[in-house]
Amino acid sequence: MSIPFPVRIQAAVVRAAYALPQGLRRAFAGKAEVRDGQTLALDAQVILKFQRMSKATMVMPGGVGPSRDEMEYARYLVGGRTIASVAVRDVGIPQEQGELAARLYTPGGVGKGSGLLVYVHGGGWVVGSLESHDHVARFLAERGRVRVLSVGYRLAPEHVFPAGLEDVQAALDYAFAKAVDLGADPERIAIGGDSAGGNLAAVTVQQAVRRGGPVPVFQLLLYPVTDLSTKRDSHRHFAETYFLTSDNMDWFADRYAPEPVDRTDPRISPLLAEDLAGLPPTYLSTAGFDPLRDEGEAYAQALREAGVDVYLSRQSDLIHGYANYIGVGHRFEEATAEAAEALRKAVGA
């Protein structure tokens, strides 16, 4: 995708704003925002100010196409410089529906037999791609000292539930079967994802346990969707204003799991699974200013009650999707680096 000239200009303006002294950034962003006992980070306020000025939202007027374009262009605005020390190659994963596109990231200095993270990008099952999350995959590979296999699963509404889930399951099976060919240790395979990708990763792990096949040794869930059957208090507290809105989530759900799909199905709402025993150690993060906060934390609690080793990290001053903003300010990178460090400790070099 070529970068439109206006996007280049916007990127330069955003970078210039974050280079300003803190006092000027505060003047630009406005008074500190406090909600539900939490104070929004200045870095988050600045990017939200730009998004409001440009009328950028997760769901753009015009629907699916413009919304996908918006996410693709966003990486040029907030993704930061490409981490060139991470080698990248395309991987084709065979399956019945045709070859599944994936991308293998190998950080410099990491040799054969490394850990491997199967990574599933976010975007409400409708937007997002290997490209939109390229900077996230590079960051996790470099900071986590692991290989990362990023999965380009089929998107809704062209491919509704369970198409995307089937693709992620195929990718995990491929990772185990071809670990040595990918340069990885089959005993050190993890899975993870952000938002809707975290949902698909969580469900895939549950399915792996139920099938009795190989199970990842670790899961990394960033602000995951865990229950599409109901809305908790965080949907009310953060229904609008903070980029991802409650209405956005309705729009995404209607395209991924349209009626008459039962959204209490644990393959859609992993929080509702009857038995969570046997799942691997988990790092789960939530964002304080996020409609999905409470369901993510409910999933962490359910895992704990099932005997799973869980580290729950609420980034109370950040917004949904913070891993995509690692190229601006410092707070987004700091939060994402924490997740990468958890990954490194679990399966990294």
Side-chain angles (χ1 to χ4, degrees):
M1 174 184 289
S2 61
I3 310 174
F5 183 71
V7 174
R8 295 178 187 271
I9 296 298
Q10 291 172 33
V13 171
V14 170
R15 287 194 295 270
Y18 277 94
L20 292 172
Q22 180 173 333
L24 291 178
R25 280 184 283 130
R26 169 57 68 196
F28 171 75
K31 182 181 177 181
E33 296 190 31
V34 179
R35 185 169 295 189
D36 196 27
Q38 306 167 130
T39 302
L40 187 64
L42 177 56
D43 282 349
Q45 270 196 255
V46 169
I47 200 62
L48 285 171
K49 182 67 175 287
F50 277 116
Q51 288 170 342
R52 292 162 188 167
M53 289 169 60
S54 65
K55 295 182 170 55
T57 67
M58 282 289 289
V59 179
M60 295 292 290
V64 173
S67 299
R68 287 176 177 168
D69 289 344
E70 181 67 23
M71 176 159 275
E72 297 301 320
Y73 293 140
R75 67 191 172 103
Y76 299 112
L77 300 176
V78 296
R81 299 184 183 278
T82 298
I83 302 176
S85 59
V86 176
V88 182
R89 70 176 175 91
D90 291 333
V91 175
I93 299 175
Q95 58 174 342
E96 291 183 6
Q97 297 83 2
E99 192 171 79
L100 174 64
R103 191 171 288 173
L104 182 67
Y105 295 81
T106 304
V110 170
K112 295 286 187 180
S114 72
L116 173 72
L117 172 69
V118 177
Y119 192 76
V120 192
H121 69 78
W125 309 278
V126 176
V127 304
S129 68
L130 296 177
E131 292 296 337
S132 72
H133 283 64
D134 175 77
H135 59 296
V136 179
R138 288 175 185 268
F139 186 90
L140 292 174
E142 177 66 20
R143 295 292 187 95
R145 309 309 295 158
V146 298
R147 285 174 166 82
V148 173
L149 184 67
S150 184
V151 184
Y153 59 92
R154 288 172 291 170
L155 298 176
E158 296 91 342
H159 305 283
V160 298
F161 168 82
L165 176 60
E166 291 171 349
D167 290 349
V168 177
Q169 291 173 333
L172 181 62
D173 290 343
Y174 179 86
F176 278 112
K178 301 294 184 181
V180 175
D181 294 342
L182 294 171
D185 179 352
E187 301 298 321
R188 295 165 62 200
I189 291 178
I191 191 169
D194 62 283
S195 192
N199 169 275
L200 293 171
V203 174
T204 298
V205 172
Q206 291 186 9
Q207 294 293 304
V209 171
R210 293 190 184 98
R211 287 186 300 170
V215 176
V217 296
F218 180 71
Q219 58 179 341
L220 185 81
L221 307 179
L222 306 181
Y223 34 87
V225 182
T226 68
D227 187 0
L228 280 184
S229 72
T230 190
K231 292 186 176 183
R232 290 169 171 78
D233 284 347
S234 56
H235 270 272
R236 174 173 54 84
H237 290 307
F238 310 105
E240 51 189 30
T241 304
Y242 300 103
F243 196 50
L244 176 68
T245 70
S246 187
D247 285 347
N248 288 164
M249 281 307 304
D250 291 341
W251 188 88
F252 287 129
D254 288 344
R255 277 142 192 84
Y256 176 59
E259 293 183 352
V261 173
D262 178 8
R263 294 181 186 174
T264 66
D265 186 331
R267 295 176 301 159
I268 294 172
S269 299
L271 175 58
L272 304 185
E274 291 184 4
D275 185 5
L276 297 174
L279 296 181
T282 301
Y283 173 93
L284 191 153
S285 73
T286 60
F289 290 73
D290 182 359
L292 304 184
R293 184 193 67 192
D294 290 356
E295 65 190 74
E297 295 180 2
Y299 190 56
Q301 180 60 29
L303 289 172
R304 283 198 188 107
E305 292 173 357
V308 178
D309 183 12
V310 179
Y311 183 84
L312 171 63
S313 178
R314 179 193 287 193
Q315 303 295 331
S316 63
D317 57 345
L318 293 183
I319 59 175
H320 185 85
Y322 63 74
N324 286 93
Y325 299 97
I326 53 178
V328 293
H330 300 288
R331 186 65 189 93
F332 300 117
E333 179 181 347
E334 180 182 65
T336 310
E338 179 188 282
E341 177 63 11
L343 176 66
R344 186 193 67 78
K345 289 179 177 178
V347 297

